Amino acid sequence: MSNLIREQEIDDRYSLPEAELLEMLLQESALRHRHLCPRQVLGVRIGLTGLRYLGFYAHVGASRFRNKNKRILTIAETDGCGSDGIAVATDCAVGHRTLRVVDYGKVAATLVDTQSKQAVRIAPSLDARELALSYYPEGQSPWHKYLRGYQLVPDELLLKVEAVELTRDIDEILSKPGLRVICDLCQEEIMNEREVLKGGQVLCLSCAGDRYYQINPDPYG
């Protein structure tokens, strides 16, 4: 059986978020950008749908989800506007260690229930753009059509939902608070068990070779 969650596995075959809740979340997301854009709408819809499939959100009479005790870990697959929408809907944040970005360049996300270990990945359907245009054809431009259309297309048509398993144990990803070691080479502090052992040394990822920068020996030369 495919990991693609079948539409009949949820009660309402075609469903939309509570209008007042969606509007509130979109307004909060817009405050982060001083305007609302289509990808923010997609992000909020992705977050709400992930919560619904994990059992933390129901359309009828739904109130805003609060990520108490850091129950949900969200892994976004790109930065930017869409990720802000996802963060607002899921009540996850980098500063709370409940939001991670793995940059695949995709407006998609995986939501993980850190207690049950269940995880779902949500991404726009292949025809999401065309559906948005058809649901709001009166928009003055394609941008405006996407902006409103993404609010109107039902979950099951707008988004693809897959049950997934993480390639790393959730406890390894989250680590334990208060764990710190010093890198044997650069002498910088490493938190959250992100060190590696190499050649008998305790190294940060950078000194172990996974470096996104290089040191400029003469920055003023």
Side-chain angles (χ1 to χ4, degrees):
M1 177 179 175
S2 169
N3 280 341
L4 185 64
I5 296 178
R6 298 179 183 277
E7 290 175 359
Q8 58 263 36
E9 290 182 8
I10 56 178
D11 293 335
D12 300 323
R13 180 176 173 84
Y14 294 115
S15 42
L16 285 165
E18 288 280 340
E20 291 184 4
L21 175 62
L22 179 61
E23 179 64 23
M24 179 185 69
L25 295 175
L26 292 178
Q27 288 180 6
E28 183 173 330
S29 181
L31 287 175
R32 302 185 179 199
H33 293 268
R34 300 182 183 177
H35 74 284
L36 185 66
C37 70
R39 286 183 180 174
Q40 291 177 65
V41 180
L42 270 181
V44 169
R45 296 291 304 273
I46 285 170
L48 289 178
T49 298
L51 292 172
R52 184 160 71 98
Y53 275 88
L54 289 176
F56 293 96
Y57 166 78
H59 285 316
V60 179
S63 59
R64 180 174 186 172
F65 171 76
R66 292 296 184 183
N67 197 13
K68 297 178 181 178
N69 302 317
K70 301 181 180 181
R71 177 73 181 264
I72 295 295
L73 171 69
T74 297
I75 303 171
E77 296 187 13
T78 190
D79 52 15
C81 307
S83 293
D84 276 347
I86 292 168
V88 166
T90 60
D91 195 26
C92 290
V94 172
H96 293 159
R97 303 194 69 239
T98 52
L99 176 65
R100 309 293 171 89
V101 176
V102 180
D103 196 356
Y104 289 174
K106 298 180 180 181
V107 183
T110 293
L111 276 66
V112 187
D113 181 345
T114 60
Q115 291 187 17
S116 71
K117 309 296 178 70
Q118 288 184 299
V120 290
R121 181 180 180 272
I122 306 94
S125 62
L126 187 61
D127 54 352
R129 284 191 177 88
E130 288 73 18
L131 284 167
L133 295 175
S134 68
Y135 268 73
Y136 192 65
E138 59 268 37
Q140 65 186 62
S141 71
W143 187 93
H144 290 88
K145 294 177 183 179
Y146 293 140
L147 180 67
R148 183 58 180 156
Y150 285 149
Q151 301 176 48
L152 301 175
V153 182
D155 294 347
E156 294 75 23
L157 302 179
L158 180 67
L159 302 169
K160 177 182 69 173
V161 184
E162 298 172 302
V164 298
E165 293 183 5
L166 301 181
T167 57
R168 295 172 58 197
D169 187 86
I170 186 64
D171 294 330
E172 180 185 347
I173 293 174
L174 295 175
S175 183
K176 299 175 183 178
L179 295 179
R180 298 177 176 85
V181 296
I182 300 297
C183 175
D184 286 334
L185 289 185
C186 69
Q187 294 295 295
E188 293 179 350
E189 186 178 76
I190 311 163
M191 300 184 295
N192 305 323
E193 296 182 301
R194 297 304 185 250
E195 71 274 9
V196 296
L197 294 176
K198 190 172 183 180
Q201 291 182 305
V202 175
L203 302 177
C204 66
L205 292 173
S206 178
C207 289
D210 186 12
R211 177 173 290 181
Y212 71 90
Y213 65 90
Q214 61 182 8
I215 304 297
N216 185 347
D218 188 10
Y220 306 107

